[in-house]
Amino acid sequence: MAADNTKGPDDADPLMVRSVEKAFRVLEAFDGTNRSLSLAQIGTSVGLDKSAAQRFTHTLNRLGYLRKDPVTKRFELSLRSLEMARHFITANPIVNQAMPYLLHLSRETEETVNLTLPDGVDIVFAARFMSRHMLNTDVVVGTRMPAFCTAPGRAILSRLPAEQAISLLGRSPLQAFTPQTVHTVEALVAQLNAARHAGYATTWGEFFPGDLSVAAAVLDQAGRPVAAVNIGVSNARYTPEKAEELFAPLVTAAARSISQASPAF
């Protein structure tokens, strides 16, 4: 089976199963922009020739992870692929432990409440309770965002050892997503120091224009940040000062309760 024209840092790893890697890359080719793909598009996106692309898509279709339209012959993710996310959420002790506190926070504030987990230089949304006031529905469970310009990310970074936080900032694609984005290492270190002192982090429209976010880190028994709780609101309804005044005590209390609730993290 022919194939992959791309090489990665794991090419010298003798334990790496290339066919498994390629199968996952086929699945990862689908997203909100590429909801359905032809065989040729999959091959181009993943770096497979036609024969290899046909074998991988056929196998994933037979396993139930891809659906093939009988008329157009285009592929799309099936509902079974969603089961992988369900397995993660139900098996993750942090998410399970946090759920009652997130639900209480959502009911108490009637605002959008999130639990995010760190993954390298990013954060990933693992639980989300939407507010009826929220207009932006693009963010769903599984959404990935840069840590440096989001309140949950900064809350997590602020609780890391300084050297580790600076190393992560150095590996982050520091760019201005909005005119308000803080995106220099020096300014971000100052933000992290302020968040560490306050016990929570804030961002005002740094990733999404008009989005106000307040977050606090969830810590494990060793004091390492393993997640963050945040509340997000719109600047059409709150000023930054009012959002911080109202929600900073609530997210810090929720994060502290989750941290203390279980020794399993």
Side-chain angles (χ1 to χ4, degrees):
M1 181 169 61
D4 189 347
N5 297 321
T6 62
K7 291 186 180 293
D10 294 320
D11 285 339
D13 186 348
L15 297 179
M16 189 77 166
V17 181
R18 300 301 166 194
S19 59
V20 175
E21 177 197 13
K22 293 168 188 174
F24 274 100
R25 283 166 48 196
V26 169
L27 294 175
E28 291 168 356
F30 297 86
D31 55 24
T33 303
N34 302 303
R35 296 179 181 179
S36 73
L37 295 169
S38 68
L39 189 66
Q41 288 172 324
I42 292 171
T44 299
S45 175
V46 179
L48 301 172
D49 66 18
K50 182 177 179 180
S51 175
Q54 189 172 41
R55 289 173 182 269
F56 280 107
T57 53
H58 174 78
T59 301
L60 290 167
N61 175 246
R62 288 292 301 272
L63 292 174
Y65 291 100
L66 288 182
R67 175 185 174 273
K68 184 178 181 180
D69 188 292
V71 177
T72 66
K73 310 301 182 184
R74 294 175 69 86
F75 294 89
E76 61 185 33
L77 294 176
S78 72
L79 285 173
R80 186 169 185 181
S81 62
L82 190 59
E83 291 182 22
M84 298 300 292
R86 180 181 67 83
H87 294 326
F88 172 82
I89 290 171
T90 56
N92 187 280
I94 303 173
V95 177
N96 281 297
Q97 194 65 51
M99 280 299 184
Y101 301 96
L102 301 176
L103 180 59
H104 174 75
L105 199 55
S106 172
R107 289 173 174 171
E108 184 177 354
T109 64
E110 296 187 344
E111 302 294 350
T112 298
V113 176
N114 305 297
L115 181 78
T116 56
L117 304 179
D119 187 23
V121 300
D122 297 329
I123 56 165
V124 180
F125 285 74
R128 183 166 169 82
F129 290 83
M130 292 284 288
S131 163
R132 60 188 174 88
H133 304 294
M134 179 61 67
L135 299 178
N136 180 5
T137 58
D138 292 339
V139 180
V140 297
V141 170
T143 296
R144 180 180 294 269
M145 291 183 186
F148 81 91
C149 61
T150 56
R154 285 189 191 161
I156 291 168
L157 289 169
S158 74
R159 302 307 295 264
L160 291 171
E163 298 81 5
Q164 187 177 351
I166 292 172
S167 175
L168 284 169
L169 290 177
R171 303 202 312 266
S172 301
L174 302 181
Q175 65 182 90
F177 292 95
T178 75
Q180 284 71 46
T181 306
V182 177
H183 62 288
T184 66
V185 172
E186 294 77 13
L188 287 166
V189 168
Q191 291 278 343
L192 298 186
N193 289 336
R196 186 180 302 110
H197 177 74
Y200 61 88
T202 61
T203 53
W204 313 132
E206 295 191 39
F207 190 77
F208 290 120
D211 179 64
L212 309 180
S213 181
V214 184
V218 175
L219 308 178
D220 65 11
Q221 284 190 311
R224 296 175 299 228
V226 292
V229 177
N230 88 289
I231 293 177
V233 297
S234 168
N235 66 359
R237 299 176 51 245
Y238 294 92
T239 63
E241 295 77 15
K242 193 64 176 178
E244 185 171 1
E245 175 190 349
L246 289 176
F247 302 127
L250 297 177
V251 296
T252 53
R256 187 181 306 112
S257 296
I258 298 168
S259 301
Q260 296 171 349
S262 174
F265 300 161

